[in-house]
Amino acid sequence: MLKKVISNIILIALSSLMIMAQVKAEENFTDIEEGSWYCEYVKDLTESGVISGFPDGSFRPYDTLNGDQFIKMVVTALGENPGNGTNYWADTYIKYAEQKGLLENIEKINYKNPLPRGEIVCIISKALDILNENIEIKACGLYDIYGYTPANYVPHVLKVYNAGIITGYPDRTFRYEKYINRAEACAV
């Protein structure tokens, strides 16, 4: 009987925290429109602590996502929070990602610039390896994978596609060289 009461109290407390977190997520960003295609993704990632906005209260969903921002999202999604660096806020996240092999063979050196989709998918694929996700790598319905997408991206694209993390564009292309915005990153 006591276990049931304690279980119910814990359930009520967790439910209350989730409701408060959802209200906080909605109030945090001045530029997130309720009902927008990305709203739920932003809310979910805010609630789980994976993303945050800018000091002015905005999220800037249509701004291009920089490499350092994406690396922070992935490291945080893996359950790590090394905190901001002293000289450059992302140093600690980048160092963690390097130590875990997430940035192995990534061509970008300046993480203050955007990462193309091909490199983003490589990082996600390596994160799936850290999580011990056993994803079958098989063909997918994206037309530009073979012959257009560089060969070093193909296994990563297939893994992430088969995991259901990416779906490609409506014309069934992947577009490895395209940069994504912050809203698209939340969907990924």
Side-chain angles (χ1 to χ4, degrees):
M1 176 75 170
L2 182 59
K3 286 183 181 179
K4 188 174 183 177
V5 171
I6 291 173
S7 296
N8 286 336
I9 291 171
I10 291 171
L11 183 61
I12 291 169
L14 287 173
S15 297
S16 298
L17 287 173
M18 288 174 63
I19 290 168
M20 290 185 332
Q22 185 171 10
V23 169
K24 184 179 178 194
E26 291 173 10
E27 293 175 351
N28 267 351
F29 305 122
T30 58
D31 55 351
I32 299 295
E33 296 176 33
E34 192 65 38
S36 61
W37 68 266
Y38 56 83
C39 184
E40 289 303 314
Y41 298 117
V42 171
K43 284 180 185 178
D44 289 345
L45 293 177
T46 302
E47 290 167 13
S48 61
V50 172
I51 62 168
S52 57
F54 293 90
D56 66 358
S58 67
F59 179 70
R60 304 177 192 165
Y62 295 108
D63 282 5
T64 302
L65 181 77
N66 287 337
D68 50 11
Q69 296 167 338
F70 182 71
I71 291 166
K72 180 184 179 189
M73 289 174 70
V74 172
V75 168
T76 306
L78 288 172
E80 298 298 323
N81 185 6
N84 289 350
T86 52
N87 295 327
Y88 168 46
W89 72 269
D91 274 342
T92 52
Y93 295 96
I94 292 168
K95 286 179 186 167
Y96 177 85
E98 287 171 341
Q99 290 170 350
K100 292 296 184 181
L102 294 173
L103 305 179
E104 206 170 281
N105 301 320
I106 298 297
E107 295 176 18
K108 285 286 184 189
I109 294 172
N110 184 353
Y111 295 107
K112 294 179 185 179
N113 291 329
L115 289 175
R117 288 170 54 90
E119 292 180 2
I120 284 172
V121 166
C122 289
I123 294 169
I124 293 171
S125 174
K126 293 169 188 169
L128 289 171
D129 290 342
I130 290 172
L131 295 172
N132 292 319
E133 295 291 330
N134 188 14
I135 311 293
E136 184 181 357
I137 298 177
K138 58 185 181 182
C140 68
L142 299 175
Y143 293 122
D144 62 345
I145 295 298
Y146 300 104
Y148 179 71
T149 301
N152 59 316
Y153 293 143
V154 171
H156 298 289
V157 173
L158 293 174
K159 180 193 281 185
V160 175
Y161 181 89
N162 289 316
I165 297 171
I166 62 162
T167 58
Y169 288 95
D171 66 354
R172 300 183 66 165
T173 59
F174 172 63
R175 304 181 197 171
Y176 80 92
E177 77 287 81
K178 185 181 183 304
Y179 299 123
I180 65 173
N181 63 39
R182 293 170 53 83
E184 291 169 322
C186 291
V188 171

